[in-house]
Amino acid sequence: MSEKLETLSNRWNNLRKILERPGPFSHPDFEPSLEIINFLMNTCKILVIGAGGLGCELLKDLALMGFRDIHVIDMDTIEISNLNRQFLFRHKDIGFPKAEVAAKFVNSRVKGCQVTAYFKKIQDFDANFYRQFHIIVCGLDSIVARRWINGMLISMLNYNDDVLDQSSIIPLIDGGTEGFKGNARVILPGMTACVECTLDLYPPQVTYPLCTIANTPRLPEHCIEYVKVVQWPKENPWGTALDGDDPHHINWVHEKSLERAQQFNITGVTYRLVQGVVKNIIPAVASTNAVIAAICATEVFKLATSCYVPLNNFLVFNDVDGIYTYTYESEKKENCLACSQIPQTVVIKDPEEAKLKDLIQILQEDSRYQMRSPGLITTIDGKNRTLYISSIKSIEERTRENLNKTLSELGLKEGCEVAVSDITSPNTVIIRLHFQTTDVEMKKLIN
């Protein structure tokens, strides 16, 4: 009874105005009720992935919207560079887990809200963990993590006679920002376009050819990258891997990068740029984070209460020159790597000359796949055969020689299916090899 009395208190009058009476923009199937507020406050379970710039805003917004059972996952610790925009943290929090500090802050400021923190990777949890949530909302800066959680939610779908059981759908709200630009999207796994369906929308990871950074550097980034990938492994000043969070490491890279820049008359090497290159930092603006997080939190509220029609399904925000925003419906891809369940056809030119490392390169560089470190297993003459796996040292050493063997030497033939695992997905992807015969056939397969 006390819960209902608090629900009716003045504190939640704004929610009552929305949820206890219809409006001109209400969802066609919306039925106003006091029980909706009770569900939102006492039953609905939300998972926030990421406690950085977007994550802090999301936790604040969701807590102040009445959600009480909130969980947050983040694997990072707080750095001094976070403090200008991640407002749940203070100088005394530097070095502590983001998720734990953020949860403690919100719990202390919003009465009745219980935020549970997990200082872990999302890959540390299985399907049973994710199945307990009603909605998952992401504030990530990693495309790999987005693809992984997208694949996890798709793998949890249930089908009865090829008909999707909608009760197995856990909506995914995804937000992203870069400088003064941002986007938000609503993904209903199995029903709407997923992350993989629109993989080509994400900018490719910036890389620099080794020949350029070693022989003809032209940009300050080239000098920094050279120190990072060549000088550090060679000199190894601290006997450990380069740590972007260690100021001693960054100072060393900064000094060596300045020396190299002077040799080639290159200017622009700064401490901040060194941090950005070493840690692959994406520019962040607090106001953009606030806008995108507010949009994502609103979508969570709409899905949890069914009071308004949710976003369908992609929103773009830009405030570089003024404020500009638009929405559009991103359509499902018929042969999506994640949600179509259709084996992917990989076209191989010159099958007699193509080597296993060429196939791996296709999986890494083709915009349809964009894998990071694919491991390949196939079945030949009824026996499973591991072609190459880089993530396990003993297997990598044993299968390394296969990289320079041709596909024919490995026994891979036309139509052969290969199971591919990668850090971008919790699931194994099946690819089917097709040896190209004509240019016309090649175009037909790609299109």
Side-chain angles (χ1 to χ4, degrees):
M1 185 67 180
S2 60
E3 295 290 352
K4 289 194 175 185
L5 287 174
E6 184 177 350
T7 301
L8 293 171
S9 69
N10 291 334
R11 180 182 178 187
W12 304 111
N13 271 344
N14 57 333
L15 295 184
R16 294 181 59 197
K17 291 176 182 178
I18 296 174
L19 301 178
E20 293 183 24
R21 64 187 184 190
F25 302 106
S26 296
H27 193 289
D29 300 326
F30 176 61
E31 296 182 6
S33 169
L34 174 62
E35 294 305 315
I36 299 176
I37 302 179
N38 287 325
F39 168 78
L40 183 147
M41 300 182 70
N42 303 317
T43 303
C44 190
K45 203 168 187 178
I46 305 296
L47 174 64
V48 176
I49 300 180
L54 270 176
C56 285
E57 292 282 354
L58 283 166
L59 289 171
K60 176 259 295 179
D61 291 345
L62 293 170
L64 294 178
M65 288 175 115
F67 292 98
R68 289 181 167 183
D69 193 355
I70 305 173
H71 297 244
V72 58
I73 301 175
D74 197 294
M75 59 177 285
D76 290 335
T77 55
I78 300 165
E79 306 169 28
I80 191 169
S81 62
N82 302 145
L83 302 185
N84 70 327
R85 64 192 182 281
Q86 298 174 20
F87 61 93
L88 299 182
F89 310 140
R90 301 293 182 266
H91 197 277
K92 63 181 176 60
D93 300 321
I94 293 174
F96 289 93
K98 287 184 178 181
E100 294 177 1
V101 174
K104 184 178 179 180
F105 191 105
V106 174
N107 290 340
S108 66
R109 291 293 294 271
V110 183
K111 182 182 177 181
C113 183
Q114 180 60 48
V115 181
T116 304
Y118 305 90
F119 178 42
K120 293 185 176 182
K121 299 178 181 179
I122 57 174
Q123 294 87 349
D124 292 336
F125 300 95
D126 60 13
N128 289 330
F129 172 81
Y130 292 107
R131 197 172 280 117
Q132 67 182 302
F133 299 103
H134 292 92
I135 301 171
I136 296 176
V137 55
C138 295
L140 292 164
D141 59 3
S142 167
I143 296 175
V144 171
R146 281 188 177 93
R147 296 174 68 182
W148 192 93
I149 190 64
N150 176 77
M152 171 58 75
L153 296 183
I154 289 173
S155 71
M156 291 160 53
L157 297 175
N158 294 326
Y159 290 86
N160 297 318
D161 296 327
D162 295 327
V163 177
L164 176 62
D165 178 3
Q166 296 196 15
S167 66
S168 66
I169 297 174
I170 299 178
L172 176 66
I173 315 298
D174 179 48
T177 67
E178 182 172 352
F180 292 99
K181 301 176 182 179
N183 67 78
R185 64 189 304 181
V186 174
I187 297 172
L188 302 178
M191 294 183 64
T192 64
C194 73
V195 171
E196 295 286 343
C197 289
T198 55
L199 192 57
D200 54 350
L201 291 179
Y202 295 102
Q205 184 176 358
V206 177
T207 58
Y208 304 103
L210 184 60
C211 59
T212 298
I213 66 173
N215 302 316
T216 57
R218 299 182 300 277
L219 301 171
E221 290 86 350
H222 292 164
C223 302
I224 300 167
E225 192 74 10
Y226 177 84
V227 176
K228 172 185 173 183
V229 303
V230 178
Q231 279 191 253
W232 182 278
K234 183 178 179 180
E235 301 184 25
N236 205 354
W238 276 273
T240 61
L242 177 58
D243 183 357
D245 295 324
D246 190 323
H248 299 294
H249 290 197
I250 296 297
N251 277 325
W252 189 89
V253 176
H254 183 214
E255 292 173 2
K256 295 297 181 180
S257 300
L258 282 172
E259 293 175 5
R260 183 164 179 81
Q262 291 170 359
Q263 294 174 11
F264 291 90
N265 297 318
I266 296 173
T267 59
V269 174
T270 65
Y271 185 90
R272 187 171 182 177
L273 181 63
V274 170
Q275 279 186 310
V277 172
V278 170
K279 299 179 63 177
N280 194 27
I281 293 175
I282 298 173
V285 176
S287 58
T288 310
N289 285 336
V291 171
I292 296 301
I295 294 169
C296 290
T298 301
E299 294 305 318
V300 173
F301 183 83
K302 289 194 290 186
L303 286 170
T305 63
S306 299
C307 59
Y308 292 95
V309 177
L311 175 69
N312 185 28
N313 50 34
F314 203 107
L315 177 143
V316 175
F317 173 82
N318 188 330
D319 62 346
V320 174
D321 298 306
I323 296 179
Y324 175 70
T325 181
Y326 69 96
T327 63
Y328 68 91
E329 181 180 359
S330 180
E331 297 182 355
K332 287 189 68 176
K333 191 176 180 181
E334 290 186 2
N335 62 338
C336 172
L337 192 66
C339 66
S340 70
Q341 308 300 316
I342 298 175
Q344 303 293 305
T345 298
V346 177
V347 179
I348 304 296
K349 302 177 183 178
D350 304 322
E352 296 300 323
E353 301 294 331
K355 299 179 180 179
L356 182 64
K357 65 180 181 181
D358 298 323
L359 173 58
I360 293 175
Q361 185 176 7
I362 292 173
L363 296 174
Q364 291 175 323
E365 297 181 359
D366 192 301
S367 61
R368 293 171 294 174
Y369 313 119
Q370 297 185 40
M371 297 183 180
R372 299 304 172 95
S373 53
L376 291 77
I377 298 175
T378 190
T379 301
I380 299 177
D381 297 330
K383 297 181 179 179
N384 290 337
R385 181 177 180 185
T386 301
L387 299 174
Y388 182 73
I389 293 178
S390 62
S391 57
I392 303 174
K393 185 178 180 181
S394 59
I395 299 179
E396 194 281 331
E397 292 175 349
R398 182 163 49 86
T399 58
R400 188 183 304 162
E401 61 182 13
N402 290 342
L403 292 173
N404 290 312
K405 291 183 179 180
T406 66
L407 301 183
S408 298
E409 290 175 334
L410 293 169
L412 299 176
K413 303 175 182 179
E414 167 69 26
C416 183
E417 292 189 349
V418 179
V420 184
S421 59
D422 190 61
I423 59 173
T424 57
S425 173
N427 309 308
T428 299
V429 175
I430 303 298
I431 64 170
R432 181 177 292 124
L433 302 181
H434 176 73
F435 297 151
Q436 179 189 355
T437 55
T438 66
D439 291 338
V440 173
E441 186 178 356
M442 173 72 170
K443 292 179 180 178
K444 186 182 297 184
L445 281 165
I446 292 177
N447 295 330

